[in-house]
């Protein structure tokens, strides 16, 4: 049991409220949700974003896979070409993925605030276009239709990032849904 004087406890709790938003940055594998300029001083994720290694363990600054329902995970040890990606995630993020039909519901955001969602993709299984096709919706609005990673990148083991604007719900969440058209949806 820890005992702290009242002043130390108040300082510790205030520090905890400030450090949490700084530590968490939202990225679905890879998600990245970064706030646009906001005028309020909430201590939710407004000070940073939250980055999630979809289907994988924590890889700084990405958190281990979290806030999802459905799907399964896979990984590879093959190197992923990130040369076409601006601000790529760490290599290990592209080497793990969540696939199937699944949803991420990211909590703890500032209600009704604007965020940038960056979705990281690298095909690790199929070798030709047309073998994996899927749709992606953010807050029930379809943002990718019949998305094909290989058709977009031109190769297996090559990364691409798709970036979108989204507004957190009144409860401070952003929901990203992946739905298979052919084979399985996938995100890194």
């Amino acid at each position: 049991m820890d005992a702290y004087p009242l002043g130390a406890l108040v300082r510790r709790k205030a520090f905890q409220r400030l450090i949490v938003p700084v530590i968490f940055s939202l990225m679905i594998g890879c998600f990245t949700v970064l706030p646009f300029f906001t005028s309020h001083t909430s201590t939710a994720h407004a000070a940073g974003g939250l980055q999630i290694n979809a289907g994988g363990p924590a890889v700084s600054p990405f958190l281990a896979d979290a806030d999802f329902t459905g799907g399964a995970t896979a990984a590879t040890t093959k190197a992923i070409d990130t040369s076409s990606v601006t601000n790529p995630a760490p290599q290990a993020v592209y080497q793990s993925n969540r696939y199937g039909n699944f949803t991420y519901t990211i909590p703890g955001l500032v209600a009704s605030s604007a965020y940038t969602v960056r979705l990281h993709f690298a095909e690790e299984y199929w070798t030709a276009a047309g073998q994996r096709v899927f749709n992606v919706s953010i807050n029930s609005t379809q943002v990718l239709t019949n998305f094909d990673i290989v058709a977009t990148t031109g190769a297996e083991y090559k990364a691409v990032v798709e970036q979108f604007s989204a507004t957190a719900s009144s409860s401070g969440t952003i929901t990203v849904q992946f739905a298979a058209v052919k084979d399985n949806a996938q995100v890194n």
Side-chain angles (χ1 to χ4, degrees):
M1 180 171 156
D2 294 327
Y4 297 98
L6 181 58
L9 181 61
V10 169
R11 284 190 303 275
R12 191 174 97 201
K13 290 216 178 272
F15 177 76
Q16 288 172 339
R17 283 189 207 110
L18 291 174
I19 196 67
V20 169
V22 172
I23 292 175
F24 295 111
S25 309
L26 169 73
M27 203 156 182
I28 328 176
C30 252
F31 293 105
T32 303
V33 173
L34 303 171
F36 286 112
F37 299 106
T38 58
S39 60
H40 38 87
T41 58
S42 172
T43 58
H45 294 299
L50 173 67
Q51 299 179 353
I52 300 172
N53 182 9
V59 178
S60 185
F62 289 77
L63 300 174
D65 198 14
D67 302 322
F68 62 86
T69 55
T73 63
T76 185
T77 56
K78 299 253 187 186
I80 306 298
D81 175 1
T82 60
S83 63
S84 298
V85 176
T86 302
N87 298 319
Q91 184 71 200
V93 169
Y94 295 105
Q95 292 173 319
S96 61
N97 69 70
R98 177 160 295 282
Y99 68 92
N101 290 311
F102 54 94
T103 301
Y104 281 86
T105 302
I106 310 304
L109 304 174
V110 177
S112 304
S113 290
Y115 289 84
T116 297
V117 177
R118 295 185 79 213
L119 302 177
H120 294 247
F121 302 98
E123 181 57 64
E124 303 164 358
Y125 186 79
W126 296 112
T127 58
Q131 294 177 305
R132 179 190 310 276
V133 179
F134 57 95
N135 299 327
V136 179
S137 297
I138 298 177
N139 293 337
S140 300
T141 299
Q142 195 159 304
V143 294
L144 291 174
T145 302
N146 294 324
F147 185 68
D148 183 327
I149 300 168
V150 174
T152 302
T153 63
E156 181 183 20
Y157 303 115
K158 186 167 184 175
V160 63
V161 172
E162 296 291 334
Q163 183 169 304
F164 308 96
S165 297
T167 300
S169 70
S170 61
S171 62
T173 63
I174 290 178
T175 301
V176 185
Q177 183 176 26
F178 297 81
V181 173
K182 182 173 182 185
D183 190 55
N184 290 299
Q186 176 189 304
V187 70
N188 295 86

